Amino acid sequence: MISDFEYFSPRTIEEALELLSQYKEAAKVMAGGQSLLILMKQGLVTPKYVIDIKGISALNYIKLDRKEGLKIGCLATHRAIETAPVIRNGFNALTEMEQKLASVQIRTWGTIGGSLCHADPAGDPALLLIVLNGKLKVASSTNERTMAVEEFAKDYFETALEPDELLTEIMVPNPPPRTGTAYKKSSRTEAAYATVSVAVSITLSSKSKTCNDARIALGAVAPVAMRAKRAERVLVGRDIRGNLIKEAACIASEEAKPTSDMHASEEYKRELVRVLIERAAQEALGKAKRV
Amino acid sequence: MEKELNLTVNGKCYELTVEPNTLLLDIIRNDLGLTGTKKGCSSNSCGVCTVLVDDKPVLACSILAVVADGKEITTVEGLAEDGKLHPLQDAFIEYGAVQCGFCTPGMLLTAKALLDENPAPTENDVRQYLKGNLCRCTGYAKIIEAILGAAKEIGRRRTI
């Protein structure tokens, strides 16, 4: 079962950072533990110290700033994000993504910060936060820095966090006017990790039907959530019609780098990318037109 | 190093000392002898270990016992009141929603959490909420009918 460890439950951010600066790589931070504990039960991760940050209420919040947008503390549970009216009303793609994430049991205890730090390439939040232009705040006892969500995951289960750093906040800017965002996911069962997931955000110009900006991200088809920039370029600056979306979807399918595994073959995953991008782009376009 | 723990389970207070690397599920089954909560996949997929922590559904195999300090836990043994079965339990029997029974405790508690939050769920609400509870026997149809039936019964009793 789980190997022995020394357990700390700091109540403040400062205490947690102090512990991290002391124990560094020998410690693992536990938020909801919904990803970490599976690895510990299987003996894949055996930290000498576990820093349980779930009791740090200062890291558990969902706030909307009129100018700067959404600010979500790393300990906000998936369930809290799923059910928050402020998110449903202004950032409903986040609501939809959370509804598709795992099960209600896991969403009740698991946190968005934990999910991002676990950096499973099939994880739901990262690719959506990328198309939403999300940023992350990361702190150590001596420093604080901000980075784009896109820069956070480095490889399978590896992030840009230094051994003494803690992810503290997720920031999502207010979407520009006439922006629609959609999240689509294909998985073997309803509560599973994605076999393939996609997120598409389309911003139309204020006067015309031209696409000012398109952001497309793919999940579970590369070591980290990835942007499909060639596919984006198909759409940007154009009047988006059906066949343009089909073209972008095909390009995204080529850009993806899936591997065959027990869930699906590489060929099928590419096909899933193509189909899901078509659906997501149509939905995002529809939402952008209605705003 | 052992930690002291205060747990309320089904309304009863327990003072325990546990090693930090102990799962809540093992405390419930082994230390407290409440074996209604089952151990299944140990990988957060099956839901048979579902308990309520402060009325919300959580996987007991996926949290450390120390994390439950000061919380109120409800297991399937805590559903009946004074020997009287909870309407959900009655409904599961009436609708034939129990075959081997292994998934049943988890199903009941997740369903209870659903009805506490949403007393009049649609079939889709039930399906979505119960996503994390797997059943190999029934094919789910009777379980869903039972939950919807229990919701009606609870609503009916409220108006009396």
Side-chain angles (χ1 to χ4, degrees):
Chain A
M1 291 303 289
I2 303 181
S3 58
D4 284 334
F5 55 82
E6 207 177 322
Y7 172 81
F8 301 99
S9 54
R11 297 285 137 178
T12 67
I13 302 172
E14 291 70 32
E15 273 177 64
L17 294 177
E18 200 40 58
L19 287 163
L20 263 177
S21 68
Q22 194 181 346
Y23 295 119
K24 297 207 177 70
E25 289 97 340
K28 277 304 259 181
V29 172
M30 186 170 78
Q34 298 302 284
S35 300
L36 179 64
L37 279 176
I38 303 179
L39 300 178
M40 288 177 70
K41 281 190 284 186
Q42 293 171 355
L44 293 170
V45 169
T46 54
K48 267 184 79 180
Y49 309 96
V50 168
I51 304 171
D52 178 0
I53 60 170
K54 204 161 213 293
I56 305 179
S57 46
L59 288 172
N60 187 359
Y61 54 88
I62 299 171
K63 293 196 278 231
L64 180 62
D65 180 289
R66 285 196 175 278
K67 278 196 298 197
E68 292 177 19
L70 211 49
K71 287 170 197 268
I72 305 175
C74 65
L75 291 182
T77 63
H78 293 292
R79 187 71 177 152
I81 295 170
E82 182 194 347
T83 54
V86 72
I87 293 184
R88 202 180 328 122
N89 294 332
F91 303 82
N92 62 26
L94 275 172
T95 310
E96 285 171 21
M97 178 274 293
E98 291 290 4
Q99 285 168 344
K100 295 180 168 103
L101 191 151
S103 63
V104 71
Q105 291 95 323
I106 292 169
R107 296 200 298 277
T108 294
W109 207 258
T111 65
I112 188 154
S115 188
L116 289 168
C117 291
H118 183 59
D120 189 316
D124 298 283
L127 66 149
L128 179 60
L129 288 170
I130 287 173
V131 305
L132 291 173
N133 256 303
K135 290 196 168 40
L136 302 176
K137 221 182 255 180
V138 158
S140 70
S141 52
T142 51
N143 189 29
E144 194 179 76
R145 55 191 181 121
T146 305
M147 67 178 86
V149 173
E150 212 169 325
E151 282 150 34
F152 188 63
K154 292 289 171 203
D155 206 336
Y156 297 95
F157 308 105
E158 265 185 53
T159 68
L161 284 175
E162 295 292 338
D164 64 345
E165 282 182 322
L166 186 70
L167 167 67
T168 54
E169 186 177 85
I170 296 100
M171 298 166 286
V172 182
N174 290 310
R178 298 201 88 206
T179 298
T181 307
Y183 180 75
K184 296 282 177 202
K185 172 182 180 180
S186 173
S187 56
R188 292 292 308 278
T189 62
E190 277 285 319
Y193 270 108
T195 304
V196 167
S197 53
V198 309
V200 177
S201 187
I202 290 177
T203 304
L204 298 175
S205 96
S206 51
K207 300 254 170 59
S208 67
K209 291 192 203 152
T210 314
C211 168
N212 270 4
D213 195 18
R215 293 174 71 84
I216 300 177
L218 313 175
V221 292
V224 300
M226 57 170 280
R227 288 271 296 280
K229 292 191 175 169
R230 279 174 48 216
E232 291 173 3
R233 285 199 285 273
V234 171
L235 301 175
V236 175
R238 316 277 293 281
D239 177 359
I240 302 184
R241 296 158 195 280
N243 50 2
L244 211 60
I245 287 182
K246 282 197 198 312
E247 191 187 326
C250 285
I251 303 275
S253 173
E254 286 166 29
E255 280 186 88
K257 297 176 274 192
T259 51
S260 297
D261 60 22
M262 64 174 174
H263 302 298
S265 67
E266 180 201 326
E267 294 77 15
Y268 189 62
K269 290 184 185 184
R270 287 192 190 281
E271 178 65 3
L272 283 173
V273 169
R274 192 187 66 74
V275 171
L276 293 181
I277 290 283
E278 257 192 67
R279 293 180 189 170
Q282 290 289 5
E283 193 180 301
L285 182 62
K287 284 183 188 176
K289 285 178 178 166
R290 282 196 299 272
V291 172
Chain B
M1 202 186 85
E2 291 199 318
K3 296 269 170 195
E4 284 189 17
L5 204 55
N6 285 300
L7 279 183
T8 308
V9 183
N10 302 329
K12 204 166 145 194
C13 294
Y14 298 88
E15 263 178 47
L16 304 156
T17 13
V18 301
E19 290 287 344
N21 61 349
T22 317
L23 299 169
L24 178 63
L25 178 63
D26 293 324
I27 295 292
I28 289 173
R29 287 180 57 82
N30 303 333
D31 295 60
L32 305 184
L34 298 168
T35 54
T37 312
K38 306 302 181 194
K39 181 174 268 194
C41 67
S42 289
S43 62
N44 296 10
S45 314
C46 73
V48 298
C49 68
T50 303
V51 296
L52 301 182
V53 174
D54 293 340
D55 298 323
K56 297 297 178 188
V58 173
L59 301 174
C61 81
S62 192
I63 55 177
L64 300 175
V66 289
V67 165
D69 188 26
K71 309 253 189 277
E72 285 195 27
I73 317 275
T74 310
T75 68
V76 67
E77 290 90 346
L79 280 181
E81 257 180 64
D82 300 320
K84 242 187 125 236
L85 292 180
H86 189 281
L88 275 165
Q89 290 170 305
D90 278 330
F92 267 56
I93 297 169
E94 188 189 325
Y95 284 77
V98 183
Q99 286 188 31
C100 81
F102 202 73
C103 74
T104 309
M107 289 285 183
L108 287 168
L109 290 168
T110 306
K112 177 177 191 298
L114 167 63
L115 298 185
D116 285 346
E117 275 179 35
N118 181 0
T122 63
E123 182 186 322
N124 194 49
D125 290 336
V126 174
R127 285 178 176 277
Q128 287 298 312
Y129 206 89
L130 275 294
K131 259 202 276 187
N133 291 81
L134 303 182
C135 171
R136 295 294 280 127
C137 298
T138 67
Y140 302 101
K142 297 295 176 189
I143 293 174
I144 294 164
E145 282 175 36
I147 295 170
L148 292 170
K152 282 207 179 69
E153 176 58 22
I154 294 170
R156 190 193 67 85
R157 290 186 197 183
R158 282 215 183 98
T159 61
I160 292 175

